[in-house]
Amino acid sequence: MTVRVRDLEVSLGGRRVLAGVSLEVPAGSWTAVIGPNGAGKSTLLRAVLGLVASRGEISVAGEDSQRLKPRQRAHLVAYAAQSPNLPVGMTVFDYTLLGRSPYIPHLGRESARDRSITEEVLDRLDLTAFAARPLDHLSGGERQRVVLARALAQQTPVLLLDEPTSALDIGHQQQVMELVDRLRLSDELTVVTTIHDLTLAGQYADALVLISGGRVAAAGTPEEVLTGPTVEKHFDARVHVTTGPGGRPLLSLERP
Ligand SMILES: Nc1ncnc2c1ncn2[C@@H]1O[C@H](COP(=O)(O)OP(=O)(O)OP(=O)(O)O)[C@@H](O)[C@H]1O
Ligand SMILES: [Mg+2]
């Protein structure tokens, strides 16, 4: 299902945070939104979800996102926030099961299928051993995987992941990126992730959108966007870009 954003504008606290942002993520593709701290990446994802007021057009699967009822939207789009407030005392299993809420009838209970989907997602993210543990008794990376688990349990055609790997060790980064990629290929998921690790972004995404100062500063394939001059201009970083497997760019910091 295609996600389309046209001329998006968002103001927060009286300040314009996004202006003139347009992008299109075709069904079954993966777009990584990159950009410096404060550029507006999380705000863009939140706007697609209707969590912040915005102007412009946002459509998911041809439907105007702003007009969707929360339950309708929850059948289409799942979201893993960058730093969510997690309910204290709730177990990993129960939190992940919340991803099934859009399928549970009002005042009803979860089905055996909802529980088995939850168990399967926990298993795929190495979280089975934590299922009965309260969320506040987890490490940062474990907690981040649980937030992703909840989004995956929702089984939507569109996944919006805000910095899904920022707290993960390299093995779990690979596990999460590969899992998302496999789901994308097997179920034609449309994936939008923000991500600070530019090499990782370039390895997995079909397209990169660089947001800088609330505007789209560059968009295209990883090779087109991840050039030394572009990274220097927008991140104020000096990097060395080489070509890795599959022609994807590899970035390393340049030491003086
Ligand atoms: N509620 C708010 N009121 C005013 N300004 C806000 C509010 N929320 C965010 N901002 C500002 O909006 C800008 C964009 O924030 P956003 O969280 O989208 O950045 P980001 O690109 O996701 O950054 P990061 O890489 O640090 O996650 C920032 O300058 C931030 O300070
Ligand atoms: Mg952010």
Side-chain angles (χ1 to χ4, degrees):
M1 291 188 176
T2 302
V3 175
R4 197 172 284 122
V5 172
R6 284 267 170 279
D7 253 333
L8 181 70
E9 189 180 307
V10 176
S11 294
L12 297 172
R15 213 170 56 82
R16 188 166 301 172
V17 171
L18 291 174
V21 171
S22 298
L23 58 106
E24 183 164 330
V25 188
S29 72
W30 185 333
T31 288
V33 178
I34 59 169
N37 290 140
K41 305 179 296 297
S42 296
T43 305
L44 169 60
L45 296 196
R46 290 168 57 78
V48 172
L49 277 154
L51 298 176
V52 293
S54 62
R55 295 171 68 172
E57 294 164 34
I58 303 171
S59 72
V60 177
E63 302 269 1
D64 178 346
S65 167
Q66 280 127 321
R67 290 180 157 208
L68 290 172
K69 296 200 174 79
R71 203 175 171 90
Q72 285 177 309
R73 191 185 291 115
H75 280 118
L76 291 176
V77 186
Y79 166 62
Q82 185 172 7
S83 30
N85 285 324
L86 298 180
V88 175
M90 186 179 272
T91 66
V92 166
F93 186 88
D94 286 347
Y95 181 77
T96 307
L97 187 60
L98 287 177
R100 302 301 302 162
S101 315
Y103 306 95
I104 299 172
H106 191 52
L107 299 178
R109 274 193 67 82
E110 77 276 4
S111 65
R113 183 159 179 271
D114 293 320
R115 298 185 75 85
S116 73
I117 288 169
T118 301
E119 279 164 14
E120 190 189 317
V121 170
L122 290 175
D123 181 49
R124 288 177 111 171
L125 288 167
D126 277 349
L127 290 166
T128 303
F130 300 94
R133 189 113 49 99
L135 294 171
D136 38 313
H137 292 197
L138 297 177
S139 78
E142 289 159 359
R143 218 172 293 141
Q144 190 165 38
R145 287 183 354 255
V146 178
V147 173
L148 179 68
R150 175 187 160 158
L152 294 182
Q154 215 172 313
Q155 294 194 321
T156 54
V158 178
L159 262 185
L160 305 181
L161 307 176
D162 199 352
E163 308 288 350
T165 55
S166 57
L168 302 188
D169 66 63
I170 190 166
H172 283 113
Q173 282 184 17
Q174 188 171 37
Q175 180 193 42
V176 161
M177 298 299 268
E178 288 293 333
L179 175 58
V180 171
D181 201 44
R182 270 203 308 282
L183 291 172
R184 168 172 88 100
L185 294 172
S186 60
D187 303 350
E188 265 237 326
L189 294 194
T190 308
V191 181
V192 184
T193 49
T194 69
I195 189 156
H196 278 301
D197 184 327
L198 301 180
T199 297
L200 199 59
Q203 271 184 302
Y204 285 91
D206 306 299
L208 300 191
V209 174
L210 168 61
I211 306 269
S212 185
R215 293 183 172 273
V216 175
T221 62
E223 303 86 289
E224 286 164 346
V225 175
L226 293 177
T227 65
T230 300
V231 172
E232 169 149 13
K233 179 172 174 199
H234 296 285
F235 293 86
D236 197 19
R238 274 133 314 276
V239 296
H240 187 61
V241 184
T242 53
T243 302
R248 306 256 177 170
L250 299 176
L251 279 75
S252 52
L253 295 177
E254 241 172 38
R255 299 289 306 273

